[in-house]
Amino acid sequence: PENPEVMWQFIETIEGLRQACEIFDTPVTGGNVSFYNETNGSAILPTPVLGVVGKINDLKCIPKSHFTNVGDRIFLLGETRSELGGSVYLEHLGLPLSGPCPSVDLGQEKELQGKLLELTKKGLLKSAHDISEGGLAMCLAESCFPSKCGVQVDVTTPLRSDYYLFSESASRVVVSVEETHIEEFLDIMSNFSLAALGRVTEQKFELSVNEKPLISLSILDMFQKWDSYMDKVFRH
């Protein structure tokens, strides 16, 4: 914290957290942050860890965080923008973590969470998974792994395909919905940004952007690589 640019990052992070807590009327019960974890003169990222308590009145209403039923429709809630700054995608490519970073509209985020609560209480969601590290592509994969389901996704976008798949734009959630609930789901989401992505399938991860096939892999092979990655790291 003696370095002014590091302390500035931390202050801005806390200010953003404060604004979000006020918008959502959310109490923070505790937290932790490390100030002196530099490695070879490089500061760690400004990432405080918070403890927040919530209450769920009806456990039966909770949707899964992964796909469960073959044939369910998949939707993206929220808007994807050209925001690769600070992304895992840039880090993976060995590029500087610079460029437009995801901007957060707290009013839009609150509206999204309100929609999700309404959909959840009505039992219209089979699954819901937030989009964070890795963007849409990683979110879809993580939604497949626990049940070993696959997806058939074909999206249309004016964005460059890697922007659409790996941008970490805020206020986005991937949900799956049974066919019988589609009409009621679309009615509730009629005034919110929404894109139909495709369907849950069996054990094949197939993804196309603007009718161009980009990925066609066995979900079992993908899961094995994902699940065994740390083994490879610790072997070295």
Side-chain angles (χ1 to χ4, degrees), residues 54-75:
K55 181 179 179 181
I56 298 171
N57 293 316
D58 188 354
L59 297 180
K60 292 181 293 186
C61 290
I62 304 174
K64 300 288 187 182
S65 62
H66 58 271
F67 302 138
T68 57
N69 298 332
V70 172
D72 285 351
R73 298 268 297 278
I74 305 170
F75 294 88

Side-chain angles (χ1 to χ4, degrees), residues 191-210:
N191 60 345
F192 195 86
S193 176
L194 176 148
L197 297 182
R199 293 183 181 275
V200 180
T201 60
E202 293 184 358
Q203 297 187 353
K204 192 81 172 180
F205 191 92
E206 298 179 298
L207 193 154
S208 300
V209 176
N210 296 330

Side-chain angles (χ1 to χ4, degrees), residues 3-75:
N3 299 328
E5 70 277 8
V6 176
M7 194 61 191
W8 175 85
Q9 284 184 319
F10 177 71
I11 291 171
E12 290 295 301
T13 300
I14 296 300
E15 174 62 19
L17 290 169
R18 182 188 68 81
Q19 291 176 13
C21 288
E22 289 180 346
I23 288 286
F24 287 96
D25 194 24
T26 301
V28 174
T29 60
N32 184 55
V33 64
S34 296
F35 278 118
Y36 295 98
N37 279 355
E38 287 190 355
T39 301
N40 297 325
S42 297
I44 65 170
L45 297 176
T47 49
V49 177
L50 303 183
V52 182
V53 176
K55 181 179 179 181
I56 298 171
N57 293 316
D58 188 354
L59 297 180
K60 292 181 293 186
C61 290
I62 304 174
K64 300 288 187 182
S65 62
H66 58 271
F67 302 138
T68 57
N69 298 332
V70 172
D72 285 351
R73 298 268 297 278
I74 305 170
F75 294 88

Side-chain angles (χ1 to χ4, degrees), residues 10-209:
F10 177 71
I11 291 171
E12 290 295 301
T13 300
I14 296 300
E15 174 62 19
L17 290 169
R18 182 188 68 81
Q19 291 176 13
C21 288
E22 289 180 346
I23 288 286
F24 287 96
D25 194 24
T26 301
V28 174
T29 60
N32 184 55
V33 64
S34 296
F35 278 118
Y36 295 98
N37 279 355
E38 287 190 355
T39 301
N40 297 325
S42 297
I44 65 170
L45 297 176
T47 49
V49 177
L50 303 183
V52 182
V53 176
K55 181 179 179 181
I56 298 171
N57 293 316
D58 188 354
L59 297 180
K60 292 181 293 186
C61 290
I62 304 174
K64 300 288 187 182
S65 62
H66 58 271
F67 302 138
T68 57
N69 298 332
V70 172
D72 285 351
R73 298 268 297 278
I74 305 170
F75 294 88
L76 167 62
L77 312 184
E79 182 183 356
T80 304
R81 296 177 291 272
S82 301
E83 299 171 320
L84 288 181
S87 67
V88 171
Y89 177 64
L90 291 183
E91 183 180 34
H92 179 72
L93 294 177
L95 298 174
L97 301 181
S98 57
C101 290
S103 60
V104 180
D105 183 328
L106 291 175
Q108 187 179 46
E109 177 68 28
K110 187 172 184 179
E111 183 182 1
L112 170 61
Q113 297 302 327
K115 294 287 188 184
L116 287 171
L117 285 173
E118 183 178 357
L119 293 167
T120 298
K121 289 175 181 177
K122 292 180 180 293
L124 299 180
L125 300 181
K126 295 300 292 184
S127 71
H129 193 306
D130 69 303
I131 298 179
S132 55
E133 291 181 324
L136 174 62
M138 193 65 226
C139 175
L140 288 169
E142 289 177 345
S143 297
C144 290
F145 289 155
S147 61
K148 307 302 185 294
C149 288
V151 293
Q152 186 173 37
V153 169
D154 189 359
V155 298
T156 301
T157 174
L159 298 179
R160 214 171 68 186
S161 58
D162 57 343
Y163 276 67
Y164 192 81
L165 295 178
F166 301 112
S167 169
E168 296 175 7
S169 296
S171 303
R172 294 184 301 157
V173 174
V174 167
V175 301
S176 61
V177 184
E178 284 186 3
E179 194 69 45
T180 54
H181 292 150
I182 293 296
E183 186 174 347
E184 188 176 0
F185 165 78
L186 292 176
D187 183 60
I188 292 173
M189 298 303 300
S190 60
N191 60 345
F192 195 86
S193 176
L194 176 148
L197 297 182
R199 293 183 181 275
V200 180
T201 60
E202 293 184 358
Q203 297 187 353
K204 192 81 172 180
F205 191 92
E206 298 179 298
L207 193 154
S208 300
V209 176

